[in-house]
Amino acid sequence: MPLALLALAVGAFGIGTTEFVMMGLLPDVADDLHISIPSAGHLVSAYALGVVIGAPLLAAATARMSRRKVLIALMGLFVAGNALSAFAPDYHWLLAARFVSGLPHGAFFGVGAVVATNLVAPERKARSVSLMFLGLTVANIAGVPVATFIGQHFGWRATFLGVSAIGLAAIASLAFLIPRDHTHGPTGGLRGELAALRSLPVWLSLGTTVAGFGALFSAYSYITPMLTDSAGYADSSVTLLLALFGVGATVGNLVGGRLADRSLRGTLFGGLVSLVTVLALFPVLMSAQWSAAVAVTLLGAAAFITGSPLQLMVMEKASAAPSLASSANQAAFNLANAGGAWIGGIALAAGFGTTSPALAGALLAVLGLAVAATAYAVDRRRAEVPAPTPGRLVATHVPPHPEHANH
């Protein structure tokens, strides 16, 4: 595996840290800016909105540019957004800065996945994507806890300055490690990129991402009350247990990348079946502390086994212009974040019990399986349609012209 993948992982580490650290800093930000916790929660939504809007928009706008330059520019925007967050004078400025911070997220992962697969042999494509995503999963183990500790002891503004420093390190890594060749944009430009989104298999792949990761966030968004109310953990133990989720996600991501290079669709189906099983068992697993810890770890592993296969599948279905479709998959991931949390909240508000969001997630994972199966059926049907043979001449009978009929 080329060292250039390390540069992509460093950028992913910074993005993962700034995306998830806000959850742990909400009380500090609310106290400092004299706002309510629900208002502070809008800072999380502003970042997600930036991802959803920025992913396809920036990928499309930079379609003809060198992907190496695009990655560096995106990380520069990331640094600017986090620096603006650190120096935001009030809540509304911070809200805008968080939106800016989210803009490069999806495009960086989308374009980065294209670059990663171009740097390796075809049989290692999924593994290269999983190594880039490694920065995102490791951020949940180390980056977020450290950044939260800094924010709680030195102020939340220090956290965003620290994340900006990570972004600068990523820019240096990208500049020195990403080769100048193999990173040019597609010759089709914006029109070719937009054409990729007219493909039914691409939309089915994006739908699988929304349903599959929506299943994860339906449960993960409410994991704290599950651990405290059902499993009986103290509030102080939740941070360590969430680190276990990061460990599971890291292992699942690496295993999924290795398996997907052998069987892309088999790994996807296996991951979704595992996710359905884990979520369906949550009410039982949350009945004891030891099994609850196992459940959190398995949840991370089962969900992130599907990460690399889904990213690579979208890219393959839009092989002529993969950057926009790949970035759109990251927008789908954040739609899953918002939609899964909403559906899990409905189950909780309906009075179905503390672990009901996990059962709602299991149903979403079943939906993801159904969409993936539909995509498989569409591919099979298209493969069975014989393609016309180029250059083949077909003999036809041409009746004689009336003038020559008697000659």
Side-chain angles (χ1 to χ4, degrees):
M1 287 293 175
L3 193 60
L5 293 176
L6 176 63
L8 295 172
V10 172
F13 178 80
I15 289 175
T17 300
T18 200
E19 179 181 18
F20 294 107
V21 74
M22 182 56 75
M23 287 76 158
L25 296 178
L26 287 183
D28 303 273
V29 173
D31 290 342
D32 185 53
L33 298 181
H34 307 293
I35 57 176
S36 65
I37 292 291
S39 295
H42 293 160
L43 297 169
V44 177
S45 302
Y47 183 92
L49 182 62
V51 177
V52 173
I53 293 176
L57 184 64
L58 293 178
T62 58
R64 288 187 177 274
M65 294 175 58
S66 159
R67 288 171 178 145
R68 177 177 177 273
K69 293 180 180 178
V70 170
L71 289 171
I72 293 174
L74 290 171
M75 195 49 58
L77 181 58
F78 169 83
V79 171
N82 282 279
L84 287 173
S85 298
F87 294 106
D90 56 37
Y91 169 70
H92 295 97
W93 277 99
L94 182 57
L95 198 68
R98 287 295 290 170
F99 175 80
V100 172
S101 299
L103 287 174
H105 176 130
F108 181 88
F109 279 109
V111 176
V114 176
V115 172
T117 55
N118 286 342
L119 292 171
V120 299
E123 66 273 12
R124 291 174 174 260
K125 283 186 175 182
R127 209 175 310 178
S128 71
V129 173
S130 72
L131 289 178
M132 179 186 68
F133 284 162
L134 186 64
L136 181 64
T137 58
V138 170
N140 283 282
I141 303 173
V144 174
V146 171
T148 303
F149 176 85
I150 291 173
Q152 291 173 345
H153 290 80
F154 301 99
W156 61 269
R157 297 178 187 276
T159 294
F160 290 111
L161 286 177
V163 173
S164 298
I166 297 174
L168 292 175
I171 290 175
S173 301
L174 292 167
F176 284 106
L177 297 179
I178 298 292
R180 294 180 182 275
D181 56 348
H182 304 301
T183 59
H184 297 293
T187 56
L190 178 58
R191 180 174 296 180
E193 293 283 338
L194 291 175
L197 294 184
R198 293 199 294 266
S199 168
L200 176 60
V202 170
W203 281 103
L204 289 173
S205 298
L206 294 175
T208 306
T209 297
V210 172
F213 275 94
L216 164 65
F217 285 109
S218 178
Y220 187 69
S221 301
Y222 305 95
I223 196 69
T224 297
M226 291 187 206
L227 291 171
T228 56
D229 298 347
S230 295
Y233 277 103
D235 292 341
S236 57
S237 303
V238 172
T239 301
L240 177 60
L241 290 164
L242 294 183
L244 288 179
F245 172 85
V247 171
T250 300
V251 173
N253 173 55
L254 293 175
V255 171
R258 183 173 291 272
L259 292 178
D261 280 328
R262 299 179 181 179
S263 175
L264 182 63
R265 204 177 293 272
T267 304
L268 175 58
F269 279 110
L272 288 172
V273 169
S274 300
L275 188 57
V276 171
T277 304
V278 171
L279 288 171
L281 290 175
F282 247 58
V284 176
L285 295 174
M286 284 292 163
S287 61
Q289 290 189 349
W290 70 269
S291 57
V294 172
V296 172
T297 308
L298 291 178
L299 178 63
F304 278 86
I305 281 177
T306 65
S308 298
L310 281 169
Q311 190 73 33
L312 195 58
M313 188 169 293
V314 170
M315 292 163 59
E316 288 187 352
K317 299 306 176 187
S319 56
S323 294
L324 179 57
S326 180
S327 299
N329 193 52
Q330 293 301 312
F333 179 88
N334 277 269
L335 286 175
N337 189 338
W342 177 66
I343 291 174
I346 290 177
L348 202 60
F352 293 128
T354 308
T355 58
S356 60
L359 297 178
L363 294 177
L364 282 174
V366 171
L367 177 61
L369 271 171
V371 177
T374 303
Y376 176 67
V378 169
D379 287 347
R380 286 287 300 271
R381 180 170 296 182
R382 292 190 175 196
E384 290 172 358
V385 177
T389 305
R392 183 179 176 182
L393 296 178
V394 180
T396 58
H397 173 69
V398 180
H401 194 276
E403 285 184 285
H404 306 293
N406 298 322
H407 293 284

